[in-house]
Amino acid sequence: MRTTGAHVLLTGATGTIGAALARRLADRGARVTLLARTPAPLEALALATGGTAFAADLCDPASLEGLVARVEAQNGPVDVLLNNAGAETTGLLTDLTAEQLRRTIDLNLTAPLELCRQVMPGMLERGSGHLVNVSSMAGVATFPGLAVYGASKAGLTHATSGLRADLRGSAVGTLAVEIGPVASEMMDRIGLYGPSEAAFARILRARLLTMLDPDDVARRVVSAIEQGRAHLRLPRRAAPLAAVTGTPRAIARIALSGIATRHSSDALPSRTTR
Ligand SMILES: NC(=O)c1ccc[n+]([C@@H]2O[C@H](COP(=O)([O-])OP(=O)(O)OC[C@H]3O[C@@H](n4cnc5c(N)ncnc54)[C@H](OP(=O)(O)O)[C@@H]3O)[C@@H](O)[C@H]2O)c1
């Protein structure tokens, strides 16, 4: 999918990775709708990148309802949905409140799927579109303190794979982004919980993962969209681990429907069959 001239709906736009994505997409000539909750940083980012600010709380069902329709009424059809908003909860499950548990799943899993659900009919009708879900290596491997966050990201990766199977033969593409630790406030917060801090220190020392640079992540995500790749796994040294985790999904996909060709139309979904 070409990003030049494309309308991209980018969630979590003002965060570390989101802002880097917004800058990269602007460099590529995309028209970006920037979504987050807090208006001031959104307006500043819109000014800096030429994007359009759209304030919304993805954990609020009223705000989520009809969100894509409101964005499209304002800025035109969405060509690329880039579900990047996400948040961690770190600690033992019993350290979390019921509200924290619910919001983590709402933001990291329910909201991106709901936005996919809202945007897909228009994309299928127009015969073009791309769904990008930013997941995590924490959805591949288990890290102490990240049970809920990891579960939400594992769910998002799995759902993206399911959507890919459902959309096979259609002109709507999917990309699952599975990334390791990025130099960010999120990692700083995770580091405040001793067992998580020790686990990441150990894994970084062993060089099984490396600390990623947000601008580099953004450059690779945009390039993966442009190349129509199904997966982006960073850092590259951890990609085989994520690929192994994804192997049962790939085997099932091939067993159930054969090896995909780019233009196969054997499972073209239609709006009337859902
Ligand atoms: N940082 C890492 O090391 C890392 C590693 C792997 C994967 N990831 C994933 O990469 C993505 C971006 O991470 P990041 O480090 O850039 O996060 P971040 O800096 O904490 O930014 C989060 C973004 O999401 C927005 N947001 C938070 N809650 C929201 C809500 N309820 N409704 C709408 N927007 C909301 C925030 O803005 P407001 O607060 O103004 O709403 C902000 O723009 C996430 O999905 C994360 O899970 C990150």
Side-chain angles (χ1 to χ4, degrees), residues 11-18 35-39 41 56-60 83-88 103 107-108 134-137 149 153 179-187 189-190 211:
T11 72
T14 52
T16 305
I17 299 169
L35 187 148
R37 285 169 305 181
T38 321
D57 182 350
L58 295 173
C59 292
D60 172 15
N83 277 315
N84 165 71
E88 85 296 348
R103 283 184 72 90
L107 182 63
N108 295 353
V134 178
S135 187
S136 169
M137 285 290 173
Y149 175 74
K153 292 297 188 179
I179 44 180
V182 177
S184 61
E185 287 180 11
M186 182 183 284
M187 277 314 294
R189 287 191 300 267
I190 288 172
M211 194 61 84

Side-chain angles (χ1 to χ4, degrees), residues 204-221:
L204 289 169
R205 238 185 355 259
R207 300 195 60 76
L208 293 170
L209 288 175
T210 51
M211 194 61 84
L212 296 162
D213 169 64
D215 289 316
D216 191 42
V217 170
R219 193 173 52 76
R220 287 166 188 262
V221 169

